[in-house]
Amino acid sequence: MLSQRSEPLTRIQRARRSEILEAALEIFSQNGYRGASINKIAEAAQMSTPRLLYHFSDKEELYSELLSATLQLWLEPLEQIEETGDPVDEICIYIQRKLEMSRDHPRESRLFAGEVLVGIKRADTALFEPLRAVFDSKIALLEDWAAQGRITAQDPHHLLYSIWATTQHYADFEAQIEMLSPQKMAKLFEGAEAHLVPMYRKLLTPT
Amino acid sequence: MLSQRSEPLTRIQRARRSEILEAALEIFSQNGYRGASINKIAEAAQMSTPRLLYHFSDKEELYSELLSATLQLWLEPLEQIEETGDPVDEICIYIQRKLEMSRDHPRESRLFAGEVLVGIKRADTALFEPLRAVFDSKIALLEDWAAQGRITAQDPHHLLYSIWATTQHYADFEAQIEMLSPQKMAKLFEGAEAHLVPMYRKLLTPT
Amino acid sequence: MLSQRSEPLTRIQRARRSEILEAALEIFSQNGYRGASINKIAEAAQMSTPRLLYHFSDKEELYSELLSATLQLWLEPLEQIEETGDPVDEICIYIQRKLEMSRDHPRESRLFAGEVLVGIKRADTALFEPLRAVFDSKIALLEDWAAQGRITAQDPHHLLYSIWATTQHYADFEAQIEMLSPQKMAKLFEGAEAHLVPMYRKLLTPT
Amino acid sequence: MLSQRSEPLTRIQRARRSEILEAALEIFSQNGYRGASINKIAEAAQMSTPRLLYHFSDKEELYSELLSATLQLWLEPLEQIEETGDPVDEICIYIQRKLEMSRDHPRESRLFAGEVLVGIKRADTALFEPLRAVFDSKIALLEDWAAQGRITAQDPHHLLYSIWATTQHYADFEAQIEMLSPQKMAKLFEGAEAHLVPMYRKLLTPT
DNA sequence: TATGAATGAGTTTTCATTCAT
DNA sequence: CATGAATGAAAACTCATTCAT
């Protein structure tokens, strides 16, 4: 089986894999892990199930790969918070980036949320190590900034959680938001930014 | 089949049903709709599958009943926002109540989030009608308050979404939070309140 | 259990039994033995399943009883073929009676046909003994009549089979006939008589 | 699933399908739709149930396919009644062909009878359209012949019904016939022909 | 590489029947 | 008499996965 080899993938193999991952993302995010069948994924990827399983040895591997890529994606904006920038600006830029993530990658957001929701049972905990590391370092950075009086005193954990919650909400709870708000999602993301950025700016700007 | 009758339930029936619902909440919230089997639910409720199906005609009914009860629970704090109270206080009390909900009913929160996450496909849309109605009326109330200058001008939709997001996050993303924060959940909920209430108070209090 | 006692039934018990049998006839004839559930029968008889099973110890007994009553009904017209009457008239009267049976008891006809169709596996063969006896005696009678030149020479077995086939067809294949003929069943039975009686009269009348 | 494709079947697929259909015909005709389980059919076809379901997506499809093939078979002799032939001969040939059908395909006959018996609930009504069309055209033909005095005046509907009834009876009521007549079925079919053909010839031949 | 074919385990549900009250 | 409650067996199907070609 291909997925057990350690040789580098050919260009064609990489192309196939990304086609499959795209289909899997669609199906997994719409149905959850158990609700998604590899048949449906194979169908969405326009190939036979055995051919799919040639590229990914099982359903788990497919799922893990997606989850891992998503975590990577999630991490980037966090990593980009610069120690050297203006603290309030840096955080606001982070919020904007997270909102863009939600807008541009809602399926990834929902996939990730679904995994957390059921208790992160399927994902290898090792997957979360990079997140942990970056998270801890940014926590330290926020504490520094607060200690230096460059942002108001906030518990950095809860600050980050509330940023995550408010930005990811628009992707994860899209179905509910569409029920309650008449606007299109594109408009809503604009509104979200107009609401959230000033809110956090007000919260964080020292007097 | 018992579940097809419209007669009132006997005491013993209510007892069995609530045993089953308790088990179902546990299993559904841990595995999602598709990941949960009525076998597992029956096992958790310490009864045979057909015995369970004597009380609930199928998996759907069990799920709908839980979802409906959850929505009811979710609605209450929102309904209790009083037109006659102090606006900022009312909203802060609402935040506290939502946080208590997350703390005391995390499984319900996750069940609901799971349904929204995959697009509210399973729930009868009629179920959401009461939510819609209360939501709309509170939106109007928030607009009034803002128009009267009793709270700062905020888009009421986004205000509510951000409150929901931040409060429910502690239940829905518990698995992640436990990974990243060393504290116990009880402590975290206290911290969350200490963070969120001042944040919204600052945001909303007119100068 | 009541059905194992040998004591005579009370009036109330007989009433219950015939209510049940009526419901069972309806359900069995519409769904076949396996397609009919005693739940559905109990529901049609407006009683609980255990109450039904108090009167009939199991599904088989219910079915056998119906089948036995049907055979009884079927036999009567055959028995009434009189040695002393005019042979052609007697046979024509028999045809008319069989047609009336089909018209007035189509469900019984279909129940019986259904049993024969799947090979008379469920019915006790003893049930068919009376039929056998009467059949044989009438075969002998028909042979006599033919030998005496009072009807044309016909194989008596095939004569009876063709009479049975043509008369029962209107009950057993009602669904098909309603598809193909625009007339109401009542009208069709009149037409059937107008067709069949002259046909057999022509066939049997000696020149 | 194989059965969802529209591509032409391979040789091996056709072989498997006909093995399964043969087993299904056996089991369905012996037990009716509800009495037949796909387990029993799979067993009769010497394969596992999922393997069977790989070739036919569900029980219904299997049944429909058999019913459709049977209707096809049933139609052929009717279609072959030739406008140009001698009317009485044509009808007698039709009777002979129908009898051959009953003799050579008794299980198909019983399958079909079983479906009609419970009210043609399972079969798609579209299935019966071809029958309707041919039936109507032959009705018209019989009326023509009668109007031209080439056969005696008969109600064509009832004429066809009585032919169907008498010929199919030997297949559909085989179990009863074997109880009442000592002869083998092969012999009985000969006797049936010797009885029915002259009967209809006498009925139809104009004087 | 790729696919048709097959499998075993599991899932939801139905049903005849029993039992305690 | 009557019923609510429960059960065991089986039915219809699904699905991740494997295998031969």
Side-chain angles (χ1 to χ4, degrees):
Chain A
M1 233 166 302
L2 186 148
S3 42
Q4 288 174 351
R5 297 199 215 135
S6 50
E7 295 152 37
L9 302 174
T10 66
R11 213 173 333 124
I12 263 194
Q13 285 168 351
R14 273 200 305 275
R16 287 274 175 280
R17 281 176 72 93
S18 73
E19 282 167 31
I20 295 170
L21 287 169
E22 160 61 27
L25 176 57
E26 186 68 22
I27 303 295
F28 276 132
S29 69
Q30 262 175 50
N31 301 280
Y33 182 80
R34 289 290 297 268
S37 77
I38 54 175
N39 265 339
K40 268 189 262 176
I41 295 171
E43 200 183 339
Q46 305 191 55
M47 62 182 69
S48 69
T49 309
R51 187 171 159 193
L52 183 154
L53 287 169
Y54 171 80
H55 291 282
F56 292 88
S57 62
D58 58 20
K59 195 181 175 182
E60 277 272 343
E61 191 193 330
L62 199 45
Y63 183 74
S64 299
E65 190 108 347
L66 280 175
L67 215 55
S68 161
T70 299
L71 262 167
Q72 210 58 32
L73 206 63
W74 252 219
L75 229 52
E76 278 170 30
L78 188 59
E79 279 173 328
Q80 287 169 17
I81 297 179
E82 287 287 336
E83 212 172 326
T84 53
D86 172 70
V88 174
D89 285 348
E90 285 295 319
I91 294 168
C92 288
I93 289 167
Y94 176 58
I95 290 163
Q96 285 167 326
R97 286 201 182 117
K98 286 286 290 174
L99 269 176
E100 282 160 22
M101 281 284 167
S102 274
R103 186 191 61 200
D104 300 337
H105 300 280
R107 297 175 307 176
E108 283 88 341
S109 184
R110 290 195 281 264
L111 181 85
F112 178 71
E115 175 64 17
V116 177
L117 212 51
V118 297
I120 316 184
K121 289 177 305 197
R122 230 152 333 240
D124 192 347
T125 42
L127 222 66
F128 281 79
E129 272 317 302
L131 171 61
R132 242 210 105 84
V134 179
F135 180 79
D136 285 347
S137 88
K138 297 307 171 183
I139 289 290
L141 177 58
L142 290 169
E143 276 169 346
D144 276 1
W145 281 343
Q148 296 162 22
R150 301 177 68 194
I151 59 171
T152 58
Q154 304 294 332
D155 182 310
H157 286 85
H158 292 291
L159 176 59
L160 281 182
Y161 294 155
S162 74
I163 291 172
W164 289 354
T166 47
T167 52
Q168 292 171 196
H169 187 79
Y170 290 88
D172 300 345
F173 287 75
E174 185 182 315
Q176 188 184 26
I177 289 172
E178 285 186 327
M179 262 192 169
L180 297 173
S181 289
Q183 294 173 302
K184 301 250 173 200
M185 283 310 294
K187 212 74 189 137
L188 282 162
F189 273 103
E190 290 173 26
E193 189 178 325
H195 175 252
L196 294 174
V197 172
M199 176 171 98
Y200 282 103
R201 189 168 287 280
K202 194 175 200 175
L203 175 71
L204 296 167
T205 306
T207 47
Chain B
M1 226 173 306
L2 186 149
S3 40
Q4 286 175 350
R5 310 234 196 103
S6 51
E7 293 152 39
L9 302 174
T10 66
R11 212 170 337 118
I12 219 172
Q13 283 168 358
R14 275 200 304 274
R16 287 275 174 281
R17 281 176 74 94
S18 71
E19 282 167 31
I20 294 169
L21 286 169
E22 161 61 26
L25 177 57
E26 187 68 21
I27 304 296
F28 275 133
S29 68
Q30 262 175 51
N31 301 279
Y33 182 80
R34 292 290 298 268
S37 77
I38 53 176
N39 276 345
K40 271 189 262 176
I41 295 171
E43 198 183 342
Q46 303 190 59
M47 59 181 71
S48 67
T49 308
R51 184 174 161 191
L52 182 154
L53 286 168
Y54 173 76
H55 292 280
F56 291 87
S57 58
D58 57 21
K59 196 181 173 182
E60 275 277 339
E61 190 193 334
L62 203 43
Y63 184 73
S64 297
E65 190 113 345
L66 283 175
L67 213 56
S68 160
T70 299
L71 262 166
Q72 208 58 32
L73 206 63
W74 253 220
L75 227 52
E76 277 169 31
L78 188 58
E79 278 173 329
Q80 287 169 18
I81 297 179
E82 286 288 336
E83 209 172 329
T84 53
D86 173 70
V88 174
D89 285 348
E90 285 294 320
I91 295 168
C92 290
I93 289 168
Y94 175 58
I95 291 163
Q96 285 168 326
R97 286 204 181 115
K98 286 286 290 173
L99 270 176
E100 282 161 21
M101 281 285 167
S102 274
R103 186 192 60 201
D104 300 338
H105 300 281
R107 298 175 306 177
E108 284 89 341
S109 185
R110 290 194 282 262
L111 181 84
F112 178 73
E115 175 65 19
V116 177
L117 212 52
V118 296
I120 315 183
K121 288 178 303 197
R122 219 140 348 232
D124 190 350
T125 42
L127 223 66
F128 281 79
E129 270 319 300
L131 171 61
R132 242 210 105 84
V134 179
F135 180 79
D136 286 346
S137 89
K138 297 308 170 182
I139 289 290
L141 178 58
L142 291 170
E143 278 168 346
D144 276 1
W145 282 344
Q148 295 163 19
R150 302 177 69 194
I151 59 172
T152 57
Q154 304 293 333
D155 182 310
H157 286 85
H158 292 290
L159 176 59
L160 281 181
Y161 294 154
S162 74
I163 291 174
W164 289 356
T166 47
T167 52
Q168 292 171 196
H169 188 80
Y170 290 88
D172 300 345
F173 288 75
E174 185 183 315
Q176 187 184 28
I177 290 172
E178 284 185 328
M179 262 193 168
L180 297 174
S181 290
Q183 293 173 300
K184 301 250 174 201
M185 282 311 293
K187 222 41 191 165
L188 281 162
F189 273 103
E190 289 174 26
E193 189 179 327
H195 174 252
L196 293 174
V197 171
M199 175 170 98
Y200 283 104
R201 189 170 286 281
K202 193 174 200 174
L203 175 70
L204 295 167
T205 306
T207 46
Chain C
M1 236 166 297
L2 187 148
S3 43
Q4 288 174 349
R5 297 199 215 135
S6 51
E7 294 153 37
L9 302 173
T10 66
R11 213 172 334 123
I12 262 193
Q13 285 169 351
R14 274 200 303 276
R16 287 275 175 282
R17 283 176 71 93
S18 72
E19 283 167 29
I20 294 170
L21 287 169
E22 160 61 25
L25 176 57
E26 187 67 22
I27 303 296
F28 276 132
S29 68
Q30 264 175 49
N31 301 279
Y33 182 79
R34 290 290 298 268
S37 77
I38 55 175
N39 265 340
K40 270 189 259 175
I41 295 171
E43 200 183 340
Q46 306 191 53
M47 62 181 69
S48 68
T49 309
R51 187 172 158 192
L52 183 154
L53 286 169
Y54 172 80
H55 291 283
F56 292 88
S57 61
D58 58 20
K59 196 181 175 183
E60 276 273 345
E61 192 193 330
L62 199 45
Y63 182 75
S64 299
E65 191 109 347
L66 279 175
L67 215 54
S68 161
T70 298
L71 262 166
Q72 211 56 34
L73 206 64
W74 253 220
L75 229 51
E76 278 170 30
L78 189 58
E79 278 173 330
Q80 286 170 19
I81 297 179
E82 286 287 335
E83 210 172 328
T84 53
D86 172 69
V88 173
D89 284 350
E90 284 295 319
I91 294 168
C92 289
I93 288 166
Y94 176 57
I95 290 163
Q96 286 168 325
R97 287 203 181 116
K98 285 287 290 174
L99 270 176
E100 281 160 22
M101 280 285 167
S102 274
R103 186 191 59 200
D104 300 337
H105 299 281
R107 298 174 307 175
E108 283 88 341
S109 185
R110 291 194 280 262
L111 182 84
F112 178 72
E115 176 63 18
V116 177
L117 211 53
V118 297
I120 316 183
K121 289 178 305 196
R122 220 130 8 217
D124 191 348
T125 43
L127 223 66
F128 280 79
E129 271 320 301
L131 171 61
R132 243 210 105 84
V134 179
F135 180 79
D136 286 347
S137 87
K138 297 307 171 185
I139 289 292
L141 177 57
L142 289 169
E143 278 169 345
D144 275 2
W145 282 343
Q148 295 163 20
R150 302 177 68 193
I151 59 171
T152 57
Q154 304 294 332
D155 183 310
H157 285 85
H158 292 290
L159 176 59
L160 281 182
Y161 294 155
S162 73
I163 291 173
W164 289 355
T166 47
T167 53
Q168 292 171 199
H169 187 80
Y170 290 88
D172 300 345
F173 287 74
E174 185 183 315
Q176 188 184 26
I177 289 172
E178 285 186 327
M179 262 192 169
L180 296 174
S181 290
Q183 294 174 301
K184 300 250 172 199
M185 283 310 295
K187 212 76 188 137
L188 282 161
F189 273 103
E190 289 174 26
E193 189 178 326
H195 174 253
L196 294 173
V197 172
M199 175 171 99
Y200 282 104
R201 189 168 287 281
K202 193 175 201 176
L203 174 70
L204 295 168
T205 306
T207 47
Chain D
M1 227 172 306
L2 185 148
S3 40
Q4 287 174 351
R5 310 236 195 99
S6 50
E7 292 152 40
L9 301 174
T10 67
R11 213 171 336 120
I12 220 172
Q13 283 169 358
R14 275 201 303 276
R16 287 277 174 279
R17 280 176 76 94
S18 72
E19 282 167 30
I20 294 170
L21 286 169
E22 160 61 26
L25 176 58
E26 187 69 21
I27 303 296
F28 275 133
S29 68
Q30 262 175 52
N31 301 279
Y33 181 80
R34 291 290 296 267
S37 76
I38 52 175
N39 275 345
K40 271 190 263 178
I41 295 171
E43 199 182 342
Q46 303 190 59
M47 60 181 70
S48 68
T49 307
R51 185 175 161 191
L52 182 154
L53 287 167
Y54 173 76
H55 292 279
F56 289 88
S57 59
D58 57 22
K59 196 181 173 181
E60 276 275 341
E61 192 194 334
L62 203 43
Y63 183 74
S64 298
E65 190 113 345
L66 282 175
L67 214 55
S68 160
T70 299
L71 262 166
Q72 209 57 33
L73 206 63
W74 253 221
L75 227 52
E76 277 169 31
L78 188 58
E79 278 173 330
Q80 286 169 17
I81 297 179
E82 286 287 336
E83 211 173 329
T84 53
D86 173 69
V88 174
D89 284 350
E90 285 294 320
I91 295 169
C92 289
I93 288 167
Y94 176 57
I95 292 162
Q96 286 167 326
R97 286 202 181 117
K98 285 287 290 175
L99 270 176
E100 281 161 22
M101 281 284 167
S102 273
R103 186 192 61 199
D104 299 338
H105 299 282
R107 297 175 307 176
E108 283 89 341
S109 185
R110 290 194 282 264
L111 181 85
F112 178 72
E115 174 65 19
V116 177
L117 213 51
V118 296
I120 314 184
K121 288 178 304 196
R122 220 141 346 234
D124 191 349
T125 42
L127 223 66
F128 281 80
E129 270 320 300
L131 171 61
R132 241 212 106 84
V134 179
F135 180 79
D136 287 345
S137 87
K138 297 308 171 183
I139 289 291
L141 177 58
L142 290 170
E143 278 169 346
D144 275 1
W145 282 344
Q148 296 163 19
R150 302 176 68 193
I151 59 170
T152 59
Q154 304 293 332
D155 183 310
H157 286 85
H158 292 289
L159 176 59
L160 281 182
Y161 293 155
S162 73
I163 291 173
W164 290 356
T166 47
T167 53
Q168 292 171 196
H169 187 80
Y170 290 88
D172 300 344
F173 287 75
E174 184 183 316
Q176 188 185 28
I177 289 172
E178 285 186 327
M179 262 191 168
L180 297 174
S181 290
Q183 295 173 298
K184 300 251 174 201
M185 283 310 294
K187 230 17 195 178
L188 282 162
F189 273 103
E190 289 173 26
E193 190 179 326
H195 174 253
L196 293 174
V197 171
M199 175 171 99
Y200 282 103
R201 190 169 286 281
K202 194 175 201 174
L203 175 70
L204 295 168
T205 306
T207 46

